[in-house]
Amino acid sequence: MTDMDRKRQWYYRGSLKSCNYTCGYCPFSKKQETLRQLRQDKEALLRFTRQFQKRGLGGAVLIAPYGEALIHDYYWEALGALSGNPRVEAAGAQSNFSFPVDQMLDIYHRHGGDLKKLRLWGTFHPEMTSVEQFTATCRRLSDRGVLYCAGAVGVPDHLDVLWQARRELPEDVYFWINKMDGPGRRYTQEEIYAFTQIDPYFDLELMHHRADGRLCGDNRFVEADGAMRRCNLSRAVVGNFYDPDCGESATDGQPPAEDRACGRKRCGCYLAYCNRRQERLLFFQPYPAFRIPVYPKAVFMDIDGTLVPEGHKQIPKQYVRQLTRLARYTRLYAATSLPPEAARIKIREIWPLLAGGVFAGGARCIIRGESGMDEAYPLETSWISQAEEKARRHGYSVHVYKKGDCVYKVTLAGRRQWKKADKQKTDQNACEKAGDKYVNEEIPDRGRSQVLSAAGGEEERLRGIFGIPDSCQILREESCIQITKKGAGKLQGVLRICEKMGYGRKETAVFGNSANDRLLLSYFPLSVAARGSSKAVREAAGYYFEE
């Protein structure tokens, strides 16, 4: 893959090391750039933008300066030129938001800027500006249609003023909290709770993100002299931006071994850990560097093993809090092997939040509200009474699920396991005396499921024993045999709802944990394998929970 084919997340940091604020903790507040130094910084920035255009590069560019860049006209000129590039999908910068909005946006437009591509990151400094001044700039940006995030360092003494800023900002603007470096103590539980109420992703700041270049996305951090690193913290130089062959060795999302060098023990700030493909950053894709959530139109979630983790009977409280907030921005759906009645019991705390779902492994699809739909895919039923009698002999209980008179799913639930050879032999002899073939109900690994194939022989054996017709498909999940109409499936059910509601493939996110979810996870780019998923399931998903 060449650079022109690749859409990377690019960072640029010039030689600028001055700021118009005088924060006591910041070394750049004490520096004043000379006119010569500013010209050198401008020349380096223009060289970067010219090279970017010349190479036909694409993706997104975040300017991450040491000082305050957006008070200087030439940074807006560069942003305008970058966003005018049809291969660039987003361009922006970090700032303290002290610039005159209308004046700078005029410069941006005059240099070809596309306002739809502009992304800004604003840091609120309570010691340097008031809530009223900062949020006035934010509201003006909103009025002009600029996408941005805002936030501040999580100083406990600033909690009241940070809450005030959060309340005065537009509701759809994400207000982040950065962990305070070097406080000499840990945050108290009360402080963590308070900051999490402001920033629901604050827990990411408190996690230990072990540095591992294999987890990094396909990104480059470029210095003024062209030196490139994997991120702003990495010590390892992986090339020079101005070398003719720069970046040709890397592939999307998985750089070669020599490119994974880092030299750090942990990813200690957002610009470092945001490059990792982890599930908590799903809604910041495709370019998490800007720290602006982009919520999909719909989110489909498996229940057993995903919303309700292994070993739990109910959905954890933290999931309830997260989903309650998420429901303000997107429509939530279930995507489960459970029928609606059983699903409602397991996730009763969030059931009212759901806009519907795919149930019984795709055999029933429900949409609530004005666009209502409740479709069940009927099974042939002539075999069921015979199957119930046979099932009892083989240690299964039979559950028949109906919508009115329509049977859409039959489950044969195992009630015992054969673990010892002597026990297995006794049961086998008993079955043979009864004139039936013996079914060895050996339970697969936890969390494992599979649609049985003819090649394995088990499908034919089960069809013969229980009289299951060819119009039905068989899914084995742990100790259960689940039977639905052939052609029904989670992916098919999700696609049916997406078609009905007008959700595009890239506007839909899915969460799952079992082999039964693999097709679903591999089809949608915004897909997450839940904690405890097998390697095969994690590989099918775009993102997965870090263990």
Side-chain angles (χ1 to χ4, degrees):
M1 178 177 291
T2 67
D3 274 334
M4 291 188 67
D5 295 324
R6 186 179 300 116
K7 292 187 177 181
R8 274 186 172 143
Q9 185 166 266
W10 296 88
Y11 301 84
Y12 175 79
R13 174 171 289 163
S15 59
L16 183 72
K17 294 182 180 178
S18 63
C19 183
N20 59 331
Y21 280 1
T22 57
C23 303
Y25 61 84
C26 179
F28 309 114
S29 66
K30 302 171 179 63
K31 290 193 175 185
Q32 197 107 29
E33 303 275 6
T34 66
L35 289 176
R36 180 183 177 185
Q37 289 172 323
L38 289 176
R39 280 197 300 270
Q40 290 174 339
D41 183 53
K42 179 178 180 179
E43 289 170 2
L45 176 61
L46 294 179
R47 184 188 181 199
F48 170 79
T49 57
R50 286 195 298 267
Q51 181 75 350
F52 205 93
Q53 306 278 35
K54 179 181 178 181
R55 296 181 67 87
L57 300 176
V61 181
L62 172 68
I63 294 172
Y66 277 130
E68 174 54 40
L70 295 191
I71 57 174
H72 301 291
D73 293 4
Y74 61 88
Y75 274 96
W76 289 96
E77 295 172 10
L79 287 174
L82 286 167
S83 70
N85 180 347
R87 294 187 61 80
V88 172
E89 296 180 353
Q94 294 178 321
S95 169
N96 60 24
F97 278 15
S98 61
F99 56 84
V101 173
D102 293 322
Q103 177 184 330
M104 293 308 188
L105 288 182
D106 287 345
I107 296 172
Y108 177 78
H109 281 299
R110 287 201 303 271
H111 287 80
D114 184 343
L115 204 61
K116 296 190 297 294
K117 296 182 181 181
L118 184 59
R119 306 284 187 272
L120 298 181
W121 164 320
T123 302
F124 173 45
H125 296 77
E127 65 275 29
M128 296 303 304
T129 187
S130 67
V131 170
E132 291 75 17
Q133 289 173 316
F134 182 80
T135 56
T137 298
C138 292
R139 287 194 295 273
R140 186 58 186 148
L141 289 170
S142 294
D143 291 342
R144 293 292 299 267
V146 177
L147 289 177
Y148 63 94
C149 68
V153 176
V155 179
D157 290 344
H158 293 169
L159 260 169
D160 288 344
V161 73
L162 297 183
W163 264 115
Q164 182 185 352
R166 171 62 276 178
R167 287 192 295 269
E168 293 192 16
L169 283 170
E171 185 180 357
D172 61 348
V173 171
Y174 170 50
F175 193 87
W176 46 263
I177 299 293
N178 276 350
K179 182 180 69 174
M180 183 171 58
D181 289 329
R185 67 170 177 83
R186 292 185 177 182
Y187 286 108
T188 66
Q189 288 301 312
E190 292 76 14
E191 290 165 351
I192 292 173
Y193 177 80
F195 284 127
T196 303
Q197 295 306 298
I198 298 173
D199 175 8
Y201 295 96
F202 182 61
D203 62 305
L204 287 172
E205 285 287 297
L206 304 180
M207 292 171 60
H208 180 87
H209 303 279
R210 182 176 57 83
D212 186 344
R214 293 171 299 180
L215 301 178
C216 291
D218 191 24
N219 51 78
R220 289 291 185 273
F221 192 95
V222 183
E223 304 280 0
D225 62 0
M228 293 194 303
R229 296 174 172 82
R230 299 294 297 161
C231 75
N232 60 314
L233 297 182
S234 176
R235 300 188 183 99
V237 176
V238 295
N240 191 286
F241 185 69
Y242 301 109
D243 288 344
D245 296 328
C246 90
E248 291 294 340
S249 61
T251 57
D252 280 327
Q254 187 59 102
E258 64 272 15
D259 235 11
R260 300 176 197 166
C262 177
R264 304 287 296 193
K265 292 184 178 179
R266 60 186 295 266
C267 301
C269 74
Y270 180 83
L271 286 186
Y273 69 72
C274 79
N275 300 308
R276 305 160 73 97
R277 295 183 67 80
Q278 57 179 315
E279 87 296 338
R280 291 282 280 135
L281 292 167
L282 177 71
F283 301 129
F284 291 84
Q285 302 303 322
Y287 302 115
F290 299 112
R291 216 168 184 172
I292 300 173
V294 181
Y295 294 103
K297 289 184 177 180
V299 176
F300 291 81
M301 303 164 290
D302 177 44
I303 294 178
D304 285 331
T306 302
L307 288 182
V308 181
E310 295 290 345
H312 291 67
K313 294 183 179 180
Q314 299 291 334
I315 182 171
K317 291 182 179 179
Q318 67 267 29
Y319 288 7
V320 174
R321 290 193 296 268
Q322 292 168 2
L323 291 170
T324 299
R325 180 181 181 277
L326 181 60
R328 291 154 51 188
Y329 305 103
T330 187
R331 289 180 175 269
L332 305 181
Y333 296 87
T336 177
S337 298
L338 298 171
E341 300 79 9
R344 182 172 185 170
I345 293 171
K346 280 211 167 184
I347 56 170
R348 61 175 178 267
E349 293 89 347
I350 67 160
W351 184 259
L353 301 176
L354 297 186
V358 174
F359 300 95
R364 188 169 175 184
C365 299
I366 297 174
I367 300 174
R368 292 173 170 175
E370 294 181 2
S371 303
M373 176 181 83
D374 189 348
E375 296 180 351
Y377 299 91
L379 281 175
E380 183 180 337
T381 59
S382 58
W383 60 277
I384 295 178
S385 57
Q386 176 187 353
E388 287 176 324
E389 180 181 348
K390 293 286 186 73
R392 282 191 291 270
R393 294 189 204 170
H394 291 275
Y396 288 92
S397 57
V398 179
H399 302 272
V400 178
Y401 298 97
K402 297 181 178 181
K403 175 183 176 285
D405 295 330
C406 169
V407 174
Y408 61 86
K409 180 178 180 178
V410 174
T411 298
L412 308 179
R415 294 186 297 187
R416 64 177 182 263
Q417 303 177 32
W418 286 266
K419 289 187 176 180
K420 296 181 180 179
D422 56 348
K423 172 67 175 172
Q424 185 175 22
K425 185 174 181 180
T426 300
D427 288 324
Q428 182 173 359
N429 290 338
C431 288
E432 289 172 350
K433 287 180 181 177
D436 293 327
K437 294 181 180 179
Y438 171 67
V439 178
N440 179 6
E441 187 203 19
E442 185 176 342
I443 308 302
D445 293 339
R446 178 178 293 181
R448 201 182 211 178
S449 64
Q450 58 180 330
V451 176
L452 302 179
S453 64
E458 189 174 4
E459 179 179 356
E460 282 73 14
R461 195 160 60 249
L462 291 171
R463 288 188 188 280
I465 293 170
F466 299 114
I468 303 170
D470 290 338
S471 61
C472 300
Q473 66 183 9
I474 304 172
L475 169 75
R476 183 175 182 124
E477 193 164 30
E478 295 192 357
S479 60
C480 290
I481 297 170
Q482 303 182 38
I483 302 155
T484 55
K485 185 175 181 178
K486 185 167 286 185
K490 284 190 180 182
L491 175 59
Q492 290 78 5
V494 170
L495 291 176
R496 177 72 183 97
I497 291 178
C498 288
E499 178 187 21
K500 175 80 173 176
M501 299 300 294
Y503 305 141
R505 184 182 178 195
K506 294 183 179 179
E507 300 170 326
T508 304
V510 296
F511 289 72
N513 78 303
S514 72
N516 190 26
D517 299 311
R518 284 174 63 186
L519 282 177
L520 192 62
L521 294 170
S522 62
Y523 181 83
F524 290 97
L526 294 177
S527 59
V528 178
R531 186 171 285 109
S533 300
S534 68
K535 181 180 179 182
V537 173
R538 292 200 305 270
E539 289 176 346
Y543 303 85
Y544 58 86
F545 281 71
E546 291 187 45
E547 299 297 337

